[in-house]
Amino acid sequence: MQAPIPFSKPVRHHSLQARISWGEQVVTVGGDAPVRVQSMTNTDTADAIGTAIQVKELALAGSELVRITVDTPESAKAVPYIREQLDKMGVHVPLIGDFHYNGHRLLTEFPDCAKALSKYRINPGNVGKGDKHDKQFAQMIEAAIRYNKAVRIGVNWGSLDQELLARLMDENASRATPWDAKQVMYQALVTSALESAELAERLGLAREQIILSCKMSGVQDLIAVYRELARSTNHPLHLGLTEAGMGTKGTAASSVALGVLLQEGIGDTIRVSLTPQPGEARTQEVLIATEIIQALGLRSFVPSVTACPGCGRTTSTTFQELAMQIDDYLRYQMPVWRKQFPGVENLKVAVMGCIVNGPGESKHADIGISLPGNGEAPAAPVFIDGEKAITLRGDNIAKEFHDIVENYVHKKYAVKA
């Protein structure tokens, strides 16, 4: 007898669990915690108000951790005020300080900044050279220990520790069959992350408070390095395709790379590093990150809207417009609905354009509408929980369907007294 086709579901890579907190807000990363979404501001951090506003926008879009650049005394001084403004707005998302070159000085000279951050990002390729490297790295780790902060040791192939790379190249040259240059670079990325983590532990930082990343801009490169990193450690891992690019290129590359790794169970937090197109909101990177996770069935962030692409059978763009209206409406409502209607993120809505797949898809959704196609009767049956509930006609189909969706949410997901 033929065996059933198994359902494909990611099995998470075993890792320790880190706790990243601010006040009573605690975000767990790794272990059995869900895959978390991160983002990063592109404001001048010294502009405390502007940065706080963008952090709020990112958090409302679904970012559970937000990273900010801390590169100057002015930006370090602004961090406590950014935290204060966010708390006043009721936005308790943990802030991550992104440090390069002078982080050891900023964390030492501005203790209020060190306290206000929930996590530090340290790039081992940018903490100093020669004898200064370990000393300056140690200063940052000591700050994390003093203020009980988590640390991400984030290696990046664009700023790889050149002394380490030279050492590994010398070792490679002595091999009977030397590796090619790319393989040595892979090894350097992983080695930099692991050796830095070991040093942080020797200095006294708890192992579970260390998160690792090895970011690259090539899809296959990233997959190869993270597979090796996952085999080599049980630290929580942060995923991200660095310098992913703009628009469709950045979206496709990030989706492919992160999708493959997440499907293999690798990755505890992700960021989609998009270059914003002119006029595009910074929140776009958050929306794509949540869509990647939701598409894999790992988490639900917003109700999903299924809509057909349209073909010669469809009479107009009505179903496209309705699908967009419903999708925009659901996303707009989620910051409020998330608190009022637990579970609403699992809602499934279908907006279909003709009789071929319309009724079937609509029955599979919680709420679905099958709009009339070319030559079909001018009627739109609505299906609720798999059953035909009503047929809409006339010029107000969009408004009436919108009301049906809203009523359904209020009825199904309202918290029982």
Side-chain angles (χ1 to χ4, degrees):
M1 185 175 177
Q2 191 174 22
I5 298 172
F7 175 69
S8 178
K9 186 176 181 179
V11 178
R12 292 286 298 284
H13 161 70
H14 174 68
S15 70
L16 299 170
Q17 187 171 89
R19 289 169 58 87
I20 303 167
S21 62
W22 177 254
E24 296 182 357
Q25 177 77 17
V26 178
V27 177
T28 52
V29 173
D32 59 358
V35 178
R36 301 296 187 181
V37 175
Q38 291 194 37
S39 58
M40 185 174 184
T41 59
N42 60 357
T43 56
D44 179 357
T45 307
D47 175 9
I49 298 299
T51 300
I53 289 171
Q54 190 174 87
V55 171
K56 179 181 179 180
E57 292 170 349
L58 293 167
L60 290 177
S63 185
E64 296 159 293
L65 301 160
V66 178
R67 185 155 44 112
I68 59 176
T69 298
V70 187
D71 58 345
T72 63
E74 292 74 23
S75 63
K77 290 177 184 177
V79 169
Y81 296 103
I82 295 168
R83 182 72 271 171
E84 180 182 347
Q85 291 300 316
L86 290 168
D87 291 342
K88 286 180 179 178
M89 293 187 288
V91 179
H92 303 301
V93 61
L95 292 178
I96 304 167
D98 193 65
F99 295 98
H100 297 271
Y101 307 111
N102 60 356
H104 60 291
R105 289 206 317 270
L106 297 177
L107 286 171
T108 302
E109 296 172 9
F110 299 94
D112 288 344
C113 166
K115 294 175 188 176
L117 294 168
S118 298
K119 177 182 163 193
Y120 310 151
R121 185 276 172 107
I122 303 174
N123 183 342
N126 288 340
V127 295
K129 299 183 183 301
D131 295 338
K132 292 182 178 180
H133 180 280
D134 287 1
K135 178 183 178 182
Q136 293 174 178
F137 180 85
Q139 286 180 266
M140 301 181 75
I141 297 300
E142 287 162 3
I145 296 169
R146 185 179 308 119
Y147 302 116
N148 192 27
K149 307 297 182 180
V151 167
R152 172 160 71 93
I153 295 174
V155 183
N156 193 306
W157 76 336
S159 51
L160 189 56
D161 184 336
Q162 294 301 302
E163 294 175 2
L164 170 63
L165 181 60
R167 186 189 91 201
L168 295 181
M169 289 178 67
D170 288 343
E171 292 176 5
N172 184 57
S174 65
R175 288 189 174 97
T177 306
W179 299 352
D180 65 35
K182 181 170 283 191
Q183 289 175 311
V184 177
M185 182 183 65
Y186 289 171
Q187 184 195 23
L189 285 156
V190 174
T191 300
S192 179
L194 297 178
E195 289 186 354
S196 298
E198 289 170 6
L199 176 55
E201 287 186 67
R202 289 201 302 272
L203 291 166
L205 186 63
R207 183 176 179 84
E208 61 270 17
Q209 287 299 88
I210 301 171
I211 298 168
L212 301 182
S213 68
C214 289
K215 289 193 171 185
M216 308 181 77
S217 59
V219 170
Q220 297 292 357
D221 297 321
L222 191 84
I223 293 170
V225 166
Y226 270 92
R227 283 173 174 165
E228 179 59 28
L229 192 60
R231 283 192 292 266
S232 304
T233 184
N234 65 349
H235 286 296
L237 303 180
H238 169 69
L239 302 185
L241 191 71
T242 190
E243 293 101 29
M246 298 178 68
T248 54
K249 186 269 183 188
T251 300
S254 293
S255 300
V256 170
L258 273 56
V260 168
L261 290 168
L262 290 172
Q263 180 65 22
E264 294 180 6
I266 299 171
D268 300 290
T269 72
I270 70 168
R271 182 196 171 199
V272 174
S273 301
L274 284 186
T275 304
Q277 299 187 77
E280 183 177 69
R282 187 66 165 179
T283 52
Q284 184 67 12
E285 68 174 49
V286 179
L287 299 182
I288 293 169
T290 58
E291 290 289 358
I292 292 171
I293 294 172
Q294 187 156 327
L296 288 166
L298 292 169
R299 295 181 68 183
S300 293
F301 294 90
V302 296
S304 63
V305 178
T306 299
C308 69
C311 67
R313 291 179 178 272
T314 56
T315 57
S316 69
T317 59
T318 302
F319 74 94
Q320 297 170 344
E321 293 165 357
L322 180 57
M324 182 179 293
Q325 290 171 10
I326 291 295
D327 192 61
D328 289 347
Y329 170 73
L330 294 174
R331 289 185 182 279
Y332 179 78
Q333 293 287 59
M334 276 309 292
V336 175
W337 280 3
R338 197 174 283 117
K339 298 176 182 178
Q340 293 182 347
F341 305 112
V344 70
E345 65 274 8
N346 297 308
L347 175 69
K348 291 179 172 58
V349 180
V351 181
M352 305 301 292
C354 78
I355 199 171
V356 174
N357 291 318
E361 285 282 2
S362 297
K363 289 178 183 178
H364 288 308
D366 295 308
I367 307 175
I369 185 170
S370 180
L371 294 163
N374 188 25
E376 297 175 23
V382 174
F383 297 82
I384 298 177
D385 293 330
E387 301 292 334
K388 183 178 176 180
I390 190 174
T391 298
L392 304 180
R393 294 180 172 85
D395 297 329
N396 294 316
I397 288 178
K399 173 64 168 62
E400 291 173 17
F401 185 67
H402 188 287
D403 292 341
I404 290 171
V405 172
E406 186 165 353
N407 290 336
Y408 184 90
V409 168
H410 282 257
K411 181 179 179 180
K412 181 171 181 177
Y413 298 102
V415 177
K416 303 295 189 293

